[in-house]
Amino acid sequence: MNDVLMDLLQELSLSNDWLVLLPEILMALLAIIILGVDLFKTNASRELALRWTVALALGGQILVLFALSFFGGQFYKEGIPLFGGLIEQSELSQYMRTFFLFSSLGISFFAGYFFKSKRLPQAEYLHIVLLATAGFMLLVQSSHFIAFFVNLELVTVAFYVLVAFQRTSVFSLEAGLKYLALGALSSAFLLFGIVLLYGISGNPEMTGFTQDGFNFTALQAFIVSNSDSVIVRLGALFVLAGIGFKIGLVPFQIWVPDVYQGAPAPTTAFLAIASKAAGIFVFMQLLHGPFLALSEWLLPLLSVLCAATILYGSIAASGQNNIKRLIGLSGISHAGYLLLGVLAGLTVPQAIGAVLFYLSVYMLGSFLVFAAMIFLNEADDSQLELNTYRGLYAKSPLLAASGIIGLGSLAGIPPLGGFIAKLLLFMAVYKAGLYGLLAVAVLGVVVSIFYYFAWIRSMVSIPDLEHTSSGGSESAIICLSRMQRAFLIGTIALVLIVGLYPSLLSHFI
């Protein structure tokens, strides 16, 4: 028995290639180094220690991003099962690795300014962000349910901590508790679905049964021969429902507004960008992979969920005054648009590129919106409302411009990048013949303009006369650092360039 086990382990080790996972390994090492450096800081030099910690995190991530961008071929083997079939890379997963590094860079930059005025352990926060980023990068390369579940739970557990990280805030603790409870429920759904699929695929009485029902390729071959099985369909539904919790699809969206409001602003940004992108990508990976033979049966059900998600997010956001709840509810509608692209990708291959393009532009627009939130440096960002931004243009024209352009891009206003992203997505949906869903999506865009422009109107409105007469106008001027100005100008330029020259970004997809 021991000899058989040793032979199996030796056979599996032949497919191990640690070089392809070097970016993820470096991210984990960087996280450990940040904790080690933090041991030598003193209370007297807290602000200086924060600067060095953030600089180390940003510098390390930039080096990893540089290596992945210019030497990516060294960390990439397309279509070859690695680590005993746990990992399989593709051009899409390679693009998403870069995407998560960019999103982590933005979150780390935000965290440096967010923690300036808060007595919270910033090194631990950055440590968890880096580990979560490595988890995201591994998740999109998983081709086996064991690797998939372990990496997904790595990210989920990291977010349990990040959401409740501001332990002096009742809202943050409440958000953490709700996310923990519903996150555990979603993991239970996911695990139950995986067990059903593994059990039925390993049944010798089933046609084409396999002893490796966790492997995506083997499972796909089994489902092709058993697509009418009730247990197969039920298992697939449970797996997709577990992922639907992570994305915030209706009817699994109940946690989104409360968690977005209570979590620290950088965590909210991380949830809105990276978590949503990872959920959509693995949803697409499963629907276009192991569950492809079920697509004819799943399409009507997912179409209803897609339409409900777009309408719920758009209508619920239109009545919100709290900024973070508004972002969360509008993010639900964006999840619906992305799911729309995933469904169109079943028949129109160009839709997959449109989904990745949408995710990239959504990240840039979200960076600008969250910058307009975090750089305000409000004591309690969970209570930010539309009136908080009243007269922002008079206090900081650049910060107001970033918020306006970011919101305009999310709304899909030309000539910004968000307009092109929605246009490409809707064209793919039209080619796929999903005309009813296209009509719902257009309606959602129209409604979104209402609540996005309410926020924009608040930014450009004239400040209250009482505040101005008391001398508050001068004292309320927001001074941005050089790094903040550079970040805002650079991101604004990218949103405009992508809108005017979308082919520049499409070359990388």
Side-chain angles (χ1 to χ4, degrees):
M1 184 66 180
N2 290 334
D3 292 339
V4 174
L5 180 60
M6 289 300 297
D7 291 340
L8 177 61
L9 292 176
Q10 288 177 0
E11 183 181 349
L12 292 177
S13 66
L14 295 176
S15 62
N16 292 358
D17 190 347
W18 294 101
L19 182 62
V20 300
L21 297 183
L22 186 59
E24 290 80 5
I25 294 171
L26 290 176
M27 291 292 285
L29 287 175
L30 179 61
I32 295 172
I33 290 170
I34 286 175
L35 278 186
V37 171
D38 187 59
L39 293 175
F40 299 98
K41 78 171 188 179
T42 61
N43 292 331
S45 59
R46 180 183 179 277
E47 185 174 350
L48 181 61
L50 173 60
R51 290 181 182 178
W52 278 105
T53 302
V54 174
L56 178 60
L58 293 176
Q61 290 176 85
I62 289 172
L63 289 176
V64 176
L65 182 60
F66 177 84
L68 189 59
S69 300
F70 292 96
F71 305 101
Q74 304 295 321
F75 319 121
Y76 173 56
K77 290 186 177 180
E78 182 178 0
I80 302 175
L82 301 168
F83 297 91
L86 296 177
I87 297 293
E88 188 170 333
Q89 298 180 322
S90 65
E91 291 184 0
L92 298 180
S93 66
Q94 191 75 350
Y95 181 84
M96 292 305 295
R97 292 168 86 186
T98 307
F99 175 92
F100 291 125
L101 279 173
F102 268 113
S103 64
S104 177
L105 269 172
I107 302 307
S108 300
F109 183 77
F110 288 150
Y113 289 95
F114 179 81
F115 286 108
K116 263 187 176 180
S117 58
K118 293 178 174 60
R119 306 293 298 184
L120 292 170
Q122 67 276 0
E124 285 88 336
Y125 186 89
L126 293 172
H127 171 84
I128 298 172
V129 167
L130 295 175
L131 290 180
T133 304
F136 280 131
M137 295 167 69
L138 288 170
L139 177 63
V140 296
Q141 300 174 80
S142 301
S143 61
H144 195 280
F145 269 125
I146 290 180
F148 176 85
F149 186 76
V150 169
N151 291 318
L152 184 62
E153 287 308 295
L154 166 62
V155 172
T156 303
V157 171
F159 272 110
Y160 291 156
V161 180
L162 294 177
V163 169
F165 199 81
Q166 201 169 348
R167 54 181 179 267
T168 56
S169 169
V170 175
F171 291 100
S172 183
L173 295 176
E174 180 185 355
L177 184 60
K178 290 180 178 178
Y179 190 70
L180 174 63
L182 293 174
L185 180 62
S186 70
S187 296
F189 271 97
L190 182 64
L191 192 57
F192 185 62
I194 292 173
V195 169
L196 282 178
L197 292 173
Y198 179 74
I200 190 67
S201 64
N203 187 347
E205 297 182 1
M206 301 296 295
T207 305
F209 80 96
T210 175
Q211 293 182 347
D212 193 10
F214 287 136
N215 184 275
F216 288 178
T217 303
L219 183 62
Q220 182 176 0
F222 171 79
I223 293 179
V224 168
S225 304
N226 300 273
S227 58
D228 293 333
S229 170
V230 175
I231 296 180
V232 167
R233 293 184 173 185
L234 190 62
L237 276 181
F238 272 109
V239 170
L240 294 178
I243 301 171
F245 268 100
K246 312 298 182 184
I247 305 172
L249 298 178
V250 171
F252 315 114
Q253 83 297 344
I254 189 171
W255 61 272
V256 173
D258 291 333
V259 171
Y260 272 50
Q261 179 184 5
T267 301
T268 305
F270 207 21
L271 277 169
I273 299 170
S275 184
K276 184 182 280 85
I280 285 294
F281 187 84
V282 297
F283 201 99
M284 178 172 65
Q285 196 176 30
L286 291 172
L287 192 60
H288 294 190
F291 301 157
L292 184 60
L294 302 174
S295 59
E296 186 176 347
W297 174 73
L298 286 171
L299 185 59
L301 176 61
L302 293 179
S303 297
V304 172
L305 296 185
C306 179
T309 300
I310 293 172
L311 292 176
Y312 175 87
S314 300
I315 295 173
S318 63
Q320 275 297 327
N321 284 321
N322 184 280
I323 292 301
K324 294 175 78 174
R325 295 180 74 89
L326 188 151
I327 291 175
L329 292 167
S330 68
I332 293 173
S333 64
H334 285 286
Y337 299 138
L338 290 165
L339 178 59
L340 184 58
V342 171
L343 297 180
L346 292 170
T347 53
V348 180
Q350 297 91 331
I352 297 174
V355 169
L356 298 184
F357 189 95
Y358 194 106
L359 284 173
S360 302
V361 175
Y362 180 77
M363 175 179 66
L364 295 175
S366 296
F367 277 165
L368 291 175
V369 172
F370 279 99
M373 177 191 304
I374 295 171
F375 295 167
L376 278 179
N377 199 25
E378 292 287 332
D380 186 4
D381 56 58
S382 63
Q383 299 301 304
L384 286 175
E385 296 188 351
L386 292 178
N387 287 335
T388 309
Y389 288 83
R390 186 171 180 82
L392 179 61
Y393 186 81
K395 303 172 186 177
S396 176
L398 179 58
L399 195 58
S402 72
I404 292 169
I405 292 175
L407 292 169
S409 181
L410 294 179
I413 305 301
L416 303 175
F419 170 75
I420 300 297
K422 282 189 170 61
L423 181 64
L424 293 176
L425 196 67
F426 291 174
M427 287 174 61
V429 173
Y430 180 81
K431 290 181 181 178
L434 302 175
Y435 305 122
L437 288 178
L438 180 60
V440 172
V442 172
L443 177 61
V445 171
V446 173
V447 176
S448 71
I449 292 175
F450 169 77
Y451 56 79
Y452 282 135
F453 270 70
W455 194 350
I456 292 174
R457 183 174 64 250
S458 181
M459 290 183 183
V460 299
S461 62
I462 300 173
D464 295 335
L465 292 177
E466 293 181 5
H467 183 67
T468 305
S469 61
S470 63
S473 180
E474 273 305 309
S475 62
I477 295 296
I478 300 173
C479 297
L480 301 175
S481 68
R482 292 180 180 178
M483 288 294 294
Q484 288 174 310
R485 290 197 296 269
F487 177 85
L488 294 176
I489 292 172
T491 309
I492 289 172
L494 285 174
V495 171
L496 292 172
I497 290 171
V498 170
L500 296 173
Y501 304 99
S503 59
L504 293 178
L505 180 58
S506 61
H507 284 317
F508 299 98
I509 301 176

